């Protein structure tokens, strides 16, 4: 629950420090005094966006600090632990601080650690719920009515099943749509690939074959020249009797060897000539073997030339280098196989989409049956509560209509409509066609009471939700709020004495001005102060003895109950 709220330089508040108690706390004051300032400040602590206009005039920044007790609030304790934002000094407490600068910049802290607005909102769900003057208008929306029914039913696992089935169907549907949209393009591409792959399959160029063909083609097409030049070179190096290269080297080496004794400088030269002699002799033998092995085969040349030319032709046709023709062939084969797989996938996916839709409708049907069952109990409880609030003839019903032909959604295929009849003989109809603002407030409050019985929020704030009601109805509304205060900490901004009298505690908001500036203050009222304030609410500006007596009687009647 909320323990303490400190506000500094926020709107018309210069400095405000308020302690809050358990039970129902009524917040009253004159019109325009700023009774909703605390609610606005708490909204910022729970992640609402702020602007520079929130900073009090001439102040550099606004600061709001809210202290919550987490005793019995396992949800908040668990969240803080997961986020590593819990306090070692105060494990059952939580401090939220929000600072807004004059320039509109904002900082947020949980237990002294900087956090994002999203984290504030996430934690706020475990701490406090604010029901403003426009909250009940949300009841007129179909989505809110569905959400309220689902919260009452508590069938979270059924909702999860429907959401998962919907997601699965959407994914398969999206994949099917993409494949179907690409069907014609895929067919055209398959036809082209079928021709290209068949042509390349028939040619069947092996990996690295073109390089080998190119090498062999050069050798065969120049075979005669290679043979003639090789034979001539062999003759000049080794066989020419009139003087070959080997005999010239050996003769020079012999002559120099005779002179080596006269000059040792010839020794390395003789060694080089000896090496040259050996190299020439080996080269001669290699040339001889080359000539013996060189074959001039016109038929093989024709075969190689034909395959080489076909390779060049196919490479030009596919706009690739001849060396890359084999790799292109493999890529086209892979793409062709992939397109064929997609065609097969299209057939199987159509069946999967049908099955996913059936699974979704089955889950949505189970959820619908649970909603129908819960709708009877929920409507009955709402009706029971609003009849206590001067709507004695009200009849409440909740229509749940399952439509298997409706477009699937993550929330099922139900149309959920809250209907009410407020007068005898009147057929139930939609809320927006039947109820007044005051009646809508009562229905909304009844739903809050029922929801609180099931899922109590530690702190609940109602900002003038009693607008449009008065007299005995106001007393009943006050009693319901007091009942809520037994389960949660409840604060209610009100202008009705019947509601304020039901409070366990009461705060009074006032404003003072020196002509140049205005300041809002909030004070806890004593028993006598409460009598005076209730008398003011009953009588207006002029408080009479009768009003004071009525105020005392009002408080006494509450205490006796």
């Amino acid at each position: 629950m909320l323990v303490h709220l400190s506000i500094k330089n926020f709107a018309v508040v210069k400095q405000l420090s308020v302690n809050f108690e358990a039970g129902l706390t009524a917040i009253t004051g004159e019109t325009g005094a700023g009774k909703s300032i605390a609610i606005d400040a708490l909204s910022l602590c729970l992640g609402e966006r702020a602007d520079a206009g929130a900073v009090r005039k001439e102040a550099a920044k606004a600061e709001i600090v809210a202290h919550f007790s987490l005793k019995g609030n396992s949800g908040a304790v668990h969240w803080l632990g997961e986020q590593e934002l819990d306090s070692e000094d105060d494990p059952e407490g939580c401090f939220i601080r929000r600072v807004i600068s004059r320039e509109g910049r904002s900082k947020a802290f949980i237990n002294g650690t900087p956090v994002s607005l999203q984290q504030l909102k996430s934690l706020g769900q475990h701490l406090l719920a604010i029901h403003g003057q426009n909250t009940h208008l949300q009841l007129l929306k179909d989505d809110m009515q569905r959400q309220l029914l689902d919260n009452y039913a508590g069938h979270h696992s059924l909702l999860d099943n429907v959401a998962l089935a919907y997601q699965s169907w959407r994914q398969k549907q999206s994949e099917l749509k993409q494949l179907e949209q690409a069907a014609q393009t895929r067919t055209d591409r398959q036809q082209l690939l079928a021709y290209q792959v068949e042509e390349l399959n028939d040619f069947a160029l092996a990996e690295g074959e073109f390089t080998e063909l190119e090498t062999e083609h050069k050798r065969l097409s120049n075979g005669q020249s290679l043979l003639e030049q090789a034979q001539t070179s062999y003759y000049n190096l080794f066989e020419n009797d009139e003087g070959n290269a080997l005999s010239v080297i050996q003769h020079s080496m012999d002559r120099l060897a005779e002179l080596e004794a006269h000059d040792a400088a010839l020794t390395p030269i003789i060694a080089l000539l000896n090496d040259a002699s050996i190299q020439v002799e080996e080269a001669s033998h290699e040339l001889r073997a080359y000539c013996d092995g060189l074959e001039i085969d016109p038929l093989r040349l024709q075969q190689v030339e034909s395959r080489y030319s076909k390779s060049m032709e196919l490479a030009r046709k596919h706009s690739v280098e001849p060396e890359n023709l084999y790799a292109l062939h493999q890529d086209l084969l892979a793409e062709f196989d992939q397109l064929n797989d997609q065609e097969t996938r299209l057939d199987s996916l159509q069946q999967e989409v049908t099955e996913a839709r059936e699974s979704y409708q089955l889950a949505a049907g189970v959820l619908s049956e649970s909603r129908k069952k819960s709708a009877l109990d929920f409507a009955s409880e709402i009706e029971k509560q609003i009849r206590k609030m001067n709507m004695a003839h009200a009849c409440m019903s909740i229509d749940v209509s399952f439509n298997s032909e409706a477009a699937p959604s993550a929330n099922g295929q139900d149309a959920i409509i809250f209907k009410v009849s407020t007068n005898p003989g009147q057929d139930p109809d939609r809320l927006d066609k039947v109820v007044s603002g005051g009646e809508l407030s009562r229905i909304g409050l009844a739903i809050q009471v029922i929801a609180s019985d099931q899922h109590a929020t530690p702190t609940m704030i109602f900002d003038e939700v009693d607008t449009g009601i008065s007299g005995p109805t106001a007393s009943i509304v006050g009693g319901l709020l007091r009942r809520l205060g037994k389960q949660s900490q409840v604060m209610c901004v009100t202008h009705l004495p019947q509601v304020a009298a039901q409070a366990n505690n009461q705060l009074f908001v006032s404003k003072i001005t020196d002509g140049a500036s205005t300041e809002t203050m909030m004070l806890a009222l004593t028993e006598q102060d409460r009598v005076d304030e209730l008398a003011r609410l009953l009588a207006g500006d002029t408080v009479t003895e009768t009003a004071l007596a009525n105020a005392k009687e009002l408080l006494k009647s509450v205490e006796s109950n």
Side-chain angles (χ1 to χ4, degrees):
M1 65 175 246
L2 179 63
V3 177
H4 182 83
L5 179 65
S6 173
I7 305 174
K8 185 177 181 181
N9 294 325
F10 176 68
V12 294
V13 175
K14 184 176 183 180
Q15 188 155 352
L16 183 64
S17 182
V18 186
N19 293 318
F20 293 92
E21 305 293 336
L24 172 61
T25 297
I27 302 175
T28 61
E30 296 179 359
T31 301
K35 295 188 292 296
S36 297
I37 287 291
I39 296 176
D40 295 338
L42 285 170
S43 296
L44 290 174
C45 284
L46 299 182
E48 290 297 320
R49 293 194 174 277
D51 56 59
V55 182
R56 182 177 169 85
K57 186 178 180 181
E58 298 180 356
K61 63 181 180 179
E63 183 178 57
I64 302 161
V65 179
H67 177 206
F68 292 88
S69 170
L70 304 181
K71 188 175 182 180
N73 191 343
S74 58
V77 171
H78 179 71
W79 188 92
L80 289 168
E82 279 191 333
Q83 301 289 321
E84 297 183 353
L85 292 170
D86 46 346
S87 172
E88 295 182 359
D89 298 331
D90 186 9
E92 290 191 342
C94 175
F95 283 87
I96 296 178
R97 178 169 168 252
R98 189 82 185 270
V99 179
I100 304 132
S101 71
R102 167 61 63 189
E103 295 74 27
R105 292 190 295 271
S106 171
K107 294 181 181 179
F109 304 85
I110 296 177
N111 289 328
T113 301
V115 295
S116 65
L117 295 188
Q118 187 58 44
Q119 286 175 298
L120 283 185
K121 290 180 180 179
S122 182
L123 175 59
Q125 297 174 2
H126 301 287
L127 298 176
L128 186 148
I130 298 176
H131 306 277
Q133 297 179 46
N134 296 322
T135 300
H136 296 325
L137 294 177
Q138 300 295 318
L139 287 174
L140 303 178
K141 298 182 178 181
D142 293 344
D143 286 345
M144 176 57 71
Q145 294 178 7
R146 172 188 53 75
Q147 184 177 339
L148 288 170
L149 176 58
D150 286 337
N151 288 342
Y152 174 81
H155 42 215
H156 305 298
S157 61
L158 299 183
L159 288 168
D160 291 341
N161 290 342
V162 170
L164 288 172
Y166 172 74
Q167 184 180 10
S168 175
W169 172 77
R170 281 292 302 272
Q171 289 175 342
K172 294 181 184 300
Q173 181 78 357
S174 177
E175 185 181 353
L176 177 61
K177 186 177 180 180
Q178 290 177 357
L179 287 176
E180 287 177 339
Q181 288 177 341
Q184 186 58 52
T185 302
R186 185 171 57 251
T187 300
D188 294 342
R189 181 63 175 165
Q190 277 179 304
Q191 292 175 350
L192 175 62
L193 286 175
Y195 168 74
Q196 292 177 329
V197 167
E198 182 179 8
E199 184 178 41
L200 291 172
N201 283 344
D202 291 342
F203 185 59
L205 184 70
E207 185 175 9
E209 182 183 352
F210 178 79
T211 302
E212 295 175 359
L213 284 173
E214 187 174 37
T215 301
E216 187 175 7
H217 180 265
K218 288 179 180 180
R219 185 177 68 252
L220 291 173
S221 59
N222 294 282
Q224 188 62 44
S225 298
L226 290 171
L227 180 60
E228 289 177 359
Q229 291 299 326
Q231 288 176 337
T232 300
S233 297
Y234 174 74
Y235 178 76
N236 291 331
L237 288 173
F238 192 77
E239 281 196 341
N240 189 347
D241 294 334
E242 296 180 358
N244 56 68
L246 180 60
S247 62
V248 170
I249 292 172
Q250 288 178 340
H251 179 71
S252 297
M253 187 173 58
D254 292 340
R255 296 291 299 272
L256 291 174
E258 294 175 358
L259 301 172
E260 183 180 7
H262 302 296
D263 190 351
L266 293 174
T267 300
I269 298 174
I270 295 171
L272 289 173
L273 288 172
N274 185 55
D275 292 339
S277 172
I278 295 172
Q279 294 291 330
V280 169
E281 187 172 6
E282 289 182 357
S284 300
H285 294 324
E286 291 292 332
L287 274 173
R288 182 64 186 178
Y290 174 79
C291 292
D292 293 341
L294 189 62
E295 295 183 5
I296 300 176
D297 186 348
L299 180 61
R300 176 58 184 166
L301 174 60
Q302 183 179 0
Q303 293 174 343
V304 170
E305 194 166 52
S306 173
R307 194 160 180 77
Y308 178 77
S309 299
K310 184 65 174 178
S311 298
M312 296 290 290
E313 177 188 340
L314 289 174
R316 284 192 298 271
K317 186 175 183 179
H318 292 281
S319 301
V320 296
E321 295 296 327
E323 295 86 351
N324 299 326
L325 189 60
Y326 173 81
L328 173 69
H329 184 196
Q330 303 310 306
D331 290 343
L332 293 179
L333 272 174
E335 184 182 356
F336 187 63
D337 291 341
Q338 184 181 21
L339 290 178
N340 288 334
D341 290 343
Q342 287 180 357
E343 198 70 38
T344 304
R345 175 60 179 157
L346 181 61
D347 295 336
S348 64
L349 190 57
Q350 289 172 336
Q351 179 63 29
E352 290 180 20
V353 169
T354 301
E355 293 173 356
R357 178 66 182 265
E358 291 173 353
S359 296
Y360 167 79
Q361 288 189 328
L362 179 62
V366 173
L367 174 62
S368 181
E369 290 302 314
S370 177
R371 282 172 170 165
K372 290 175 182 177
K373 181 178 179 181
S374 297
L376 295 174
D377 296 334
F378 194 25
S380 177
E381 290 197 40
I382 296 173
E383 182 179 296
K384 188 186 305 181
Q385 292 294 338
I386 61 178
R387 284 188 174 186
K388 296 177 183 178
M389 292 185 279
N390 202 23
M391 295 176 68
H393 302 291
C395 294
M396 188 77 190
S397 65
I398 301 176
D399 288 356
V400 180
S401 303
F402 179 75
N403 182 6
S404 61
E405 299 302 319
S409 78
N411 299 310
Q413 293 178 290
D414 290 317
I416 299 172
I417 303 174
F418 283 27
K419 293 183 177 181
V420 68
S421 169
T422 56
N423 299 305
Q426 180 187 47
D427 292 331
D429 206 343
R430 298 177 64 98
L431 298 183
D432 57 347
K433 294 183 178 181
V434 177
V435 298
S436 63
E439 289 170 334
L440 185 63
S441 294
R442 280 173 266 177
I443 294 173
L445 185 57
I447 291 174
Q448 294 301 326
V449 171
I450 296 167
S452 179
D453 287 340
Q454 292 186 311
H455 312 288
T457 304
T459 298
M460 303 175 70
I461 299 179
F462 295 88
D463 185 10
E464 296 192 24
V465 294
D466 49 14
T467 300
I469 61 176
S470 59
T473 305
S475 296
I476 295 170
V477 168
L480 286 176
L481 291 172
R482 188 179 180 92
R483 172 183 161 185
L484 281 176
K486 293 180 180 179
Q487 299 172 328
S488 303
Q489 181 189 40
V490 177
M491 284 171 269
C492 178
V493 175
T494 183
H495 56 83
L496 298 178
Q498 297 92 336
V499 174
Q502 294 282 352
N504 306 102
N505 320 284
Q506 189 167 345
L507 297 172
F508 179 72
V509 180
S510 63
K511 64 179 179 180
I512 57 176
T513 180
D514 58 4
S517 63
T518 302
E519 185 176 344
T520 292
M521 303 182 67
M522 184 180 291
L523 300 174
L525 299 183
T526 64
E527 286 298 320
Q528 184 57 48
D529 291 335
R530 290 193 67 187
V531 172
D532 295 339
E533 172 61 6
L534 289 177
R536 184 191 68 80
L537 292 172
L538 286 165
D541 293 336
T542 303
V543 177
T544 64
E545 291 297 327
T546 302
L548 288 170
N550 288 338
K552 291 179 182 178
E553 186 63 29
L554 193 58
L555 283 173
K556 185 176 179 181
S557 66
V558 171
E559 292 172 359
S560 63
N561 292 330

